[in-house]
Amino acid sequence: ITKTFRLPAETLKRLEELAQKNNISLNNLIIQCCEYALENLEPGAEDTDICNGSDAESQTGHASSTANI
């Protein structure tokens, strides 16, 4: 599945550097990060706004990245 996400430019830069440092693709790193986050959610966190009302699309300084999952 192909899906597009918007990330803060600094976050994307850090993820790209981490992927390169670990010799894995950015896509693989994003999958690992998402799976880790989902596995480590606090009980009941799926029912709350874990982003504290932040709307990433409305913030400036974002880069767009398309993930093939």
Side-chain angles (χ1 to χ4, degrees):
I1 298 172
T2 299
K3 190 75 175 174
T4 299
F5 296 92
R6 289 179 178 82
L7 300 169
E10 182 60 27
T11 300
L12 181 58
K13 178 182 173 190
R14 291 175 61 195
L15 289 168
E16 289 172 333
E17 289 171 355
L18 186 59
Q20 184 177 27
K21 179 180 175 182
N22 289 283
N23 199 32
I24 60 174
S25 70
L26 180 60
N27 189 70
N28 190 317
L29 177 64
I30 297 295
I31 291 168
Q32 289 181 34
C33 289
C34 290
E35 288 176 350
Y36 178 84
L38 291 170
E39 291 169 3
N40 292 281
L41 283 174
E42 295 287 329
E46 292 115 343
D47 299 329
T48 62
D49 181 7
I50 60 174
C51 295
N52 298 319
S54 172
D55 181 1
E57 290 188 34
S58 66
Q59 298 175 5
T60 60
H62 288 78
S64 183
S65 181
T66 300
N68 295 312
I69 300 173

